[in-house]
Amino acid sequence: MLASLRSAAVFGVEALPVVVEVDVSSMGLPVFTMVGLPDASVRESRDRVRSAIRNSGYDFPQHRVTVNLAPADVKKAGASYDLPIALGILAATGVIERRQVDDIVLLGELSLDGSIQSIRGVLPIAVAARREGKSAMLLPRINAPEAAVVGALRILPVDSLSEAVLALNTPMPEGPPASQQSQVPVLVPADAVEPPPDFADVRGQRLAKRALEVAAAGGHNVLLIGPPGGGKTMMARRLPGILPPLDFDEALDCTSIHSVAGLIKPGCALISSRPFRAPHHTASEVAMVGGGPIPRPGEISLAHHGVLFLDEMPEFNRRVLEVLRQPIEEGRVTIARAARTAVFPARFTLVGAKNPCMCGYRGDPLHECRCTPLQVQRYRSRISGPLLDRIDLVVEVPALPVSALTDGSVGESSATIRERVVAARERQAARFQDMPVRVNAALHGRALRQHCALDAKGSRLLEAAICRLALSARGYDRVLKVARTIADLAGADRIEAAHLAEALQYRIVE
């Protein structure tokens, strides 16, 4: 007998439909064969499926069992095919009444006792299932809150193989699915439990805090330069707290990426706060951009719609830093493989921190710098000119004076700064409502010239700055974008000379 069920494979952050065909034949010797380009983890499912079926109280057929995972040109990886394979065998032997299950997507990893374990990549599969018009998803109960985020899709959470059999043998009610809240308890995401650190804890450093406010308002990249202990890392870790909250589409994007990476905590439904990723300086190129035989997202994709913080930026491998150049410009990273190309979104705010020299005390009035000019030059050259040209704001973070440390006053809170950032983002949303652009940092081409036009005074100021600062064409555009963001923070409709002057001070590189 032949049975056919529906499952899915994830490549990148996109889900591809997979048809699980199971044929149980009395012709030939008893053997369990699997075809359709399965990898080792899928081939191992033969033993898990056999034990799970027997330990769930069903008879495993003593016949020739052939499983085909179509399409055959897509490599199948992971243990999520255990459940559809087991259900296909039971459907082919008559335990499940329907042998053709086209309207339900089946996912789940089986334990030897028949219980069902959690899997990764549920959310992109749920999105694809809704797009293809499927009526329901049958999956592990622990993954149900994640899939329940997608509307117009009935969620069938199960804990064991026997429950899955019962669910398929029970006719589903007609009509649209009931509220997902009544089907699955959507728990509060774990990332929303602890509030982010507050800018009120930061002493002094008014220029650096202003630069981070501008970066948050326009999605600009920042480089903080200063001696150790000045507060660079402290301020960078507070940047997510002044970013606007994620809207539903952004939260869906972030959750899909983290789901594919296997970073969604059990019981979580949707990521509610912007990601903050701070990889160690020993991170490799693959760890940064993603990759592997089955491509997985790297740090830059996990920071999508959030912050990528590179502390001690010159200590990163030069090649690791250089791979950031294309994603910064395009907002995505493309990983090519022989069979297929995976595209991961990577629209993040880059925040780098570095010392002014190797010892860290160049320009510090309280400490003597012992670096030679050659050592200083070598240290600075670890970050290439093309990468520096892609950073919108370069800010000096000097050592704090004693008066700032002993002052008992409280600085401006993150909530107050966030109000101004949100107001600036709302102005940008109204301006770009008919465009795919969300923030000023993503402007380019004709739209940049249209929305960042200067008056005569501003044009003369920028022309003088181009010669004095040796700005490249990219640097020219980035100054305009930052000036547009500063104008948005000020509530101005046009870029004025004062906005442009502030933007230019952030282009002063060592």
Side-chain angles (χ1 to χ4, degrees):
M1 300 289 286
L2 177 66
S4 179
L5 301 90
R6 296 297 182 269
S7 188
V10 177
F11 196 89
V13 291
E14 295 294 328
L16 307 173
V18 173
V19 179
V20 179
E21 298 175 319
V22 180
D23 178 63
V24 178
S25 174
S26 58
M27 303 295 292
L29 297 174
V31 65
F32 195 156
T33 305
M34 192 174 299
V35 297
L37 206 59
D39 74 347
S41 61
V42 179
R43 289 194 296 270
E44 289 173 354
S45 67
R46 291 177 294 191
D47 297 321
R48 292 193 297 270
V49 167
R50 182 183 288 106
S51 297
I53 289 177
R54 289 174 176 171
N55 291 327
S56 297
Y58 305 109
D59 293 328
F60 189 85
Q62 299 299 316
H63 301 293
R64 185 181 186 89
V65 178
T66 303
V67 176
N68 177 41
L69 305 176
D73 62 339
V74 176
K75 189 171 185 178
K76 318 303 186 305
S80 61
Y81 302 103
D82 290 2
L83 183 59
I85 291 173
L87 294 175
I89 293 173
L90 295 177
T93 55
V95 176
I96 295 176
E97 298 173 2
R98 290 193 294 167
R99 290 190 291 116
Q100 191 81 12
V101 184
D102 293 331
D103 55 338
I104 304 176
V105 177
L106 309 167
L107 302 163
E109 175 184 348
L110 286 174
S111 295
L112 298 183
D113 62 355
S115 60
I116 300 177
Q117 306 298 319
S118 64
I119 58 173
R120 63 172 65 182
V122 167
L123 185 55
I125 294 175
V127 172
R130 181 184 64 178
R131 184 173 60 246
E132 294 169 7
K134 303 301 181 184
S135 62
M137 281 186 68
L138 190 149
L139 73 171
R141 188 176 301 276
I142 198 169
N143 293 120
E146 184 182 342
V149 171
V150 180
L153 195 65
R154 197 179 305 277
I155 305 301
L156 304 176
V158 292
D159 291 316
S160 64
L161 180 60
S162 56
E163 284 188 26
V165 172
L166 179 62
L168 289 183
N169 282 334
T170 302
M172 286 193 299
E174 297 182 357
S179 172
Q180 301 293 357
Q181 294 286 347
S182 63
Q183 301 180 63
V184 181
V186 180
L187 305 182
V188 177
D191 63 344
V193 175
E194 296 183 4
D198 201 300
F199 262 100
D201 303 329
V202 180
R203 304 292 180 89
Q205 306 297 4
R206 293 181 58 185
L207 179 62
K209 288 191 287 187
R210 170 63 174 175
L212 290 175
E213 179 181 341
V214 173
H220 304 288
N221 302 319
V222 191
L223 177 60
L224 305 175
I225 305 175
K232 301 185 297 295
T233 302
M234 184 180 186
M235 288 186 288
R237 292 191 177 276
R238 281 154 177 75
L239 180 58
I242 63 174
L243 291 172
L246 291 169
D247 60 31
F248 180 75
D249 290 337
E250 290 175 333
L252 205 63
D253 290 343
C254 293
T255 307
S256 296
I257 296 170
H258 283 69
S259 176
V260 170
L263 299 179
I264 298 296
K265 296 182 180 179
C268 289
L270 201 66
I271 289 179
S272 62
S273 59
R274 293 190 179 269
F276 179 85
R277 305 295 299 183
H280 193 260
H281 65 262
T282 57
S284 65
E285 295 172 70
V286 173
M288 189 66 72
V289 303
I294 303 296
R296 300 293 184 196
E299 292 291 338
I300 62 175
S301 295
L302 294 173
H304 185 55
H305 292 315
V307 177
L308 177 67
F309 177 47
L310 303 184
D311 200 3
E312 303 298 338
M313 195 170 175
E315 301 301 328
F316 282 79
N317 185 286
R318 178 72 174 262
R319 295 180 60 183
V320 173
L321 293 179
E322 292 305 301
V323 299
L324 297 175
R325 287 159 54 176
Q326 183 179 359
I328 287 175
E329 291 290 332
E330 299 182 357
R332 65 180 184 272
V333 58
T334 303
I335 300 175
R337 292 292 179 266
R340 196 176 295 271
T341 298
V343 178
F344 293 103
R347 183 70 67 184
F348 55 88
T349 297
L350 174 64
V351 180
K354 67 183 288 287
N355 297 326
C357 62
M358 292 184 65
C359 72
Y361 295 111
R362 185 175 179 83
D364 189 340
L366 301 179
H367 299 83
E368 180 183 358
C369 175
R370 299 183 181 277
C371 300
T372 66
L374 180 59
Q375 288 175 324
V376 173
Q377 182 60 34
R378 285 177 177 174
Y379 182 78
R380 291 176 176 177
S381 64
R382 292 180 183 178
I383 302 177
S384 69
L387 181 57
L388 276 176
D389 205 32
R390 287 167 167 81
I391 296 178
D392 303 335
L393 303 100
V394 179
V395 188
E396 290 189 5
V397 184
L400 285 172
V402 177
S403 58
L405 296 174
T406 58
D407 186 5
S409 61
V410 178
E412 197 172 26
S413 68
S414 293
T416 303
I417 301 174
R418 191 182 197 183
E419 290 177 2
R420 295 196 296 267
V421 170
V422 170
R425 287 284 184 108
E426 289 174 352
R427 293 179 66 87
Q428 295 170 59
R431 185 186 307 125
F432 306 140
Q433 58 182 347
D434 298 328
M435 301 171 58
V437 176
R438 287 177 174 263
V439 292
N440 291 327
L443 279 173
H444 62 276
R446 185 179 303 174
L448 175 65
R449 303 291 178 260
Q450 175 185 352
H451 297 291
C452 299
L454 301 176
D455 56 17
K457 185 177 180 180
S459 298
R460 289 194 299 270
L461 176 61
L462 188 54
E463 287 175 6
I466 291 175
C467 299
R468 189 166 185 176
L469 301 178
L471 291 179
S472 66
R474 181 185 290 113
Y476 172 87
D477 288 347
R478 290 185 179 273
V479 168
L480 290 177
K481 297 175 188 179
V482 173
R484 178 65 265 177
T485 300
I486 294 171
D488 289 333
L489 285 169
D493 293 330
R494 294 183 60 84
I495 299 175
E496 300 174 1
H499 308 143
L500 189 60
E502 183 180 352
L504 285 169
Q505 75 173 332
Y506 298 127
R507 292 298 300 182
I508 300 175
V509 185
E510 303 172 282

